[in-house]
Amino acid sequence: MAQQVGPERPGDETGALLAFLEDQREAIRRATLGLTEEQARQRPCASGLSLGGLLKHTAETEQGWLARAQGVAPDIARTPENWNESHVLLDGETLADTRAYGEKVARDPEEWIRSRPGLDETFPLPKAPWFPDADGVSLRWLLLHLIRENARHAGHADILREQLDGETAYSLATREG
């Protein structure tokens, strides 16, 4: 059975936020358990989303936000012209590789965020209509945003998986080792 987020240590707000973020990441990973490459690419709903694409998109999104917080340019520059590439597995991208990439990306934030003076530390954002404030956001906002982003897509993943083969979040959680 999947391990649930436990109570945080009193006063460890960072630990609580990181634990909830990992819980939502795991929900998306769990939705891909036992899928074939073909199933990972299927788009069973009108939205055009696939489970492999969601897994890729959430990892790329998290990697991009962490890079901004660290003051470096994201490795993957998404533009309106190539935005859809982050939502699908491209030729040569496999579900296994995408899972490994997501797991690597998930390891990066905890150590770095815990090394910072606190969650009130801010970082600037480029001026763009999709960013909330060019003057900056806090690390707390960043973690809450990543939890929200992953939770939204975890819900999408549940629906996609159920459409593919009838598996639900509950049945997949009990199937895990």
Side-chain angles (χ1 to χ4, degrees):
M1 181 139 197
Q3 187 172 356
Q4 297 297 309
V5 173
E8 76 274 15
R9 292 189 319 252
D12 184 12
E13 179 185 13
T14 301
L17 293 170
L18 288 166
F20 273 88
L21 175 56
E22 178 54 28
D23 187 56
Q24 295 307 309
R25 289 179 189 128
E26 180 56 30
I28 297 168
R29 288 190 297 258
R30 188 171 36 252
T32 68
L33 285 175
L35 291 180
T36 64
E37 289 295 324
E38 181 184 343
Q39 288 173 313
R41 287 173 161 71
Q42 285 181 359
R43 300 173 184 179
C45 296
S47 70
L49 294 174
S50 70
L51 285 165
L54 281 179
L55 193 63
K56 176 182 168 181
H57 169 70
T58 54
E60 284 186 358
T61 298
E62 186 167 335
Q63 184 181 41
W65 275 104
L66 186 61
R68 284 183 197 92
Q70 293 171 332
V72 297
D75 287 345
I76 299 166
R78 291 291 173 209
T79 64
E81 293 77 30
N82 71 4
W83 183 252
N84 287 336
E85 289 179 7
S86 76
H87 292 81
V88 296
L89 294 182
L90 301 175
D91 289 342
E93 294 178 333
T94 67
L95 179 59
D97 289 345
T98 304
R99 283 179 66 93
Y101 165 63
E103 289 167 6
K104 179 191 175 305
V105 167
R107 287 190 297 268
D108 295 339
E110 182 165 3
E111 183 178 330
W112 185 79
I113 287 174
R114 286 191 179 279
S115 76
R116 309 311 302 158
L119 294 176
D120 291 328
E121 181 179 337
T122 62
F123 61 95
L125 296 173
K127 186 170 176 64
W130 49 84
F131 289 135
D133 187 348
D135 292 332
V137 295
S138 69
L139 294 180
R140 178 179 295 101
W141 183 93
L142 169 65
L143 288 172
L144 290 167
H145 175 69
L146 292 175
I147 291 166
R148 174 180 60 189
E149 175 83 7
N150 279 277
R152 175 180 293 136
H153 291 314
H156 295 144
D158 287 344
I159 292 167
L160 293 172
R161 183 60 190 257
E162 195 166 348
Q163 290 296 306
L164 280 175
D165 63 7
E167 290 277 10
T168 66
Y170 299 108
S171 65
L172 290 166
T174 58
R175 186 163 61 147
E176 280 189 295

